[in-house]
Amino acid sequence: MSWYRNAVWFVKGLREYTRGGYESASKHFNPADVEVDVAGRSFLVTGANSGIGKATAKEIARRGGTVHLVCRNKERAEVAKEEIVTETGNQNIFLHIVDISNPKEIWKFAEKFQNEHKLNVLINNAGCMVNNRELTEDGLEKNFATNTLGTYIMTTALLPLLEKEADSRVITVSSGGMLVQKLNISDLQSGSGPFDGTMVYAQNKRQQVVLTEQWAKAHRNIHFSVMHPGWADTPAVRSSMPDFYERMKNSLRTDAQGADTVLWLAVSAEATKLASGLFFQDRQAVPAHLPLAWTHSSPADEEKLMEVLEEFSQKFKSVSLG
């Protein structure tokens, strides 16, 4: 059935995920949803120095929010911060240098952040698509370390802070590519068989959807959501998917169009009227599985994913915090 899922996903993508799909969907948006003042609320955006992360951070800053930029590259992050401050006039922009593929760094950051700041909204945007199997210094496959384990640790480490605030939210930027993947807990670090970076990335994004659903069940007073930004013209797409970019570059969404639903989920009152744990595209909750596709996972597999990630998380927490 994989050929069917891939074909349906690509046709769906050509129709909905491109710039034309956004322009069509946006005709039904209510501009007032995001015309809000969020002064006094604190937002953390990972992967915020470029692409969808920077576009999201900039729009939140325009609305008066306090924005924490979590980035890996210090030089690029400082340029992004300066751009956001200059364009928005918002001085409440803070920079934190953290490698999301390094679980020990995340734990150290989260412990320090909890002691110094409050947090209303966490936006898990950082991600990577490495096309050859690479291991981090901790021996973790890099895509898994960044997209899945990094997202898991950042979120769970900051849950106590989010629990303290009213109207707290967690938004994770996933991908429609996850529609072609069924959760596979037997090879989380892609160590067996041929390595296909695109499919590994898609599997990680399916894992993010499962994480969101599980968190929503466990933490009722936080609103969790996961979303697909569409096919956007970002530095990550250009570097990780050069062939796809060349073929589709004239049809790709802008960074701001890709970020629109992230912003809507982060600031609008309408978003939290919908159930926690849903998958979104263009400000609408959409199915997390294609029609007739065998991508649903068992409760046992979903619980196993959470158990394995928690084991990893606690191992690196004990190392990083002594």
Side-chain angles (χ1 to χ4, degrees):
M1 292 293 287
S2 61
W3 66 268
Y4 165 81
R5 293 200 300 269
N6 289 338
V8 172
W9 171 76
F10 191 70
V11 171
K12 181 180 176 69
L14 289 174
R15 185 177 68 248
E16 299 179 18
Y17 301 164
T18 56
R19 189 186 311 138
Y22 174 83
E23 290 168 351
S24 177
S26 66
K27 293 175 184 176
H28 306 287
F29 293 172
N30 181 359
D33 285 357
V34 294
E35 291 174 357
V36 294
D37 183 349
V38 292
R41 285 176 64 76
S42 175
F43 300 76
L44 189 155
V45 186
T46 67
N49 68 296
S50 67
I52 289 167
K54 185 172 77 170
T56 301
K58 190 178 294 184
E59 290 305 316
I60 292 169
R62 287 192 208 282
R63 290 157 176 79
T66 295
V67 185
H68 296 274
L69 313 175
V70 174
C71 307
R72 180 173 55 88
N73 184 290
K74 189 173 188 292
E75 290 181 4
R76 290 202 294 265
E78 287 174 343
V79 171
K81 176 186 173 181
E82 184 178 348
E83 178 185 324
I84 292 168
V85 170
T86 301
E87 290 191 20
T88 68
N90 187 337
Q91 299 294 321
N92 293 318
I93 312 299
F94 300 92
L95 184 57
H96 311 272
I97 305 304
V98 185
D99 183 348
I100 302 298
S101 73
N102 186 320
K104 296 189 292 294
E105 277 193 30
I106 301 172
W107 272 118
K108 287 178 182 176
F109 159 75
E111 287 295 311
K112 186 172 186 290
F113 189 88
Q114 288 188 75
N115 292 328
E116 298 176 354
H117 304 282
K118 73 167 193 171
L119 183 62
N120 298 95
V121 181
L122 168 62
I123 299 171
N124 291 310
N125 167 73
C128 74
M129 184 193 295
V130 178
N131 289 312
N132 297 300
R133 192 171 190 273
E134 293 180 18
L135 299 183
T136 68
E137 64 181 45
D138 297 303
L140 300 168
E141 190 277 315
K142 193 165 186 179
N143 293 293
F144 167 78
T146 306
N147 302 326
T148 302
L149 184 59
T151 296
Y152 179 86
I153 294 178
M154 181 64 78
T155 303
T156 53
L158 293 175
L159 281 175
L161 208 53
L162 290 160
E163 295 273 9
K164 295 177 182 177
E165 302 298 330
D167 188 17
S168 55
R169 311 181 189 191
V170 175
I171 300 115
T172 300
V173 179
S174 183
S175 166
M178 67 90 197
L179 291 168
V180 304
Q181 287 284 313
K182 178 180 179 178
L183 178 65
N184 176 11
I185 59 166
S186 65
D187 189 22
L188 287 176
Q189 299 200 59
S190 311
S192 61
F195 187 89
D196 182 333
T198 303
M199 288 299 104
V200 170
Y201 178 82
Q203 173 64 208
N204 295 160
K205 295 301 177 176
R206 170 60 71 188
Q207 292 160 5
Q208 290 179 344
V209 171
V210 173
L211 289 179
T212 299
E213 293 169 347
Q214 295 300 305
W215 284 327
K217 293 175 186 175
H219 305 278
R220 300 287 185 176
N221 58 335
I222 300 173
H223 191 271
F224 292 87
S225 56
V226 59
M227 58 79 66
H228 174 39
W231 293 342
D233 185 353
T234 65
V237 168
R238 293 187 184 204
S239 62
S240 299
M241 305 175 68
D243 293 341
F244 173 82
Y245 171 75
E246 283 301 320
R247 190 163 67 247
M248 299 297 298
K249 61 184 179 183
N250 294 325
S251 301
L252 297 177
R253 299 180 177 200
T254 65
D255 292 345
Q257 290 171 342
D260 177 82
T261 296
V262 188
L263 177 70
W264 183 82
L265 289 166
V267 307
S268 78
E270 294 303 308
T272 53
K273 292 178 182 177
L274 298 166
S276 182
L278 298 178
F279 180 64
F280 287 84
Q281 175 189 314
D282 290 333
R283 302 193 190 183
Q284 284 193 319
V286 295
H289 301 273
L290 291 169
L292 306 179
W294 295 90
T295 51
H296 294 269
S297 47
S298 68
D301 278 357
E302 293 174 357
E303 289 172 16
K304 182 64 176 176
L305 174 68
M306 303 304 283
E307 289 171 8
V308 171
L309 294 177
E310 183 61 16
E311 288 172 11
F312 271 120
S313 174
Q314 291 303 316
K315 180 180 92 171
F316 289 111
K317 181 179 182 180
S318 63
V319 171
S320 67
L321 303 180

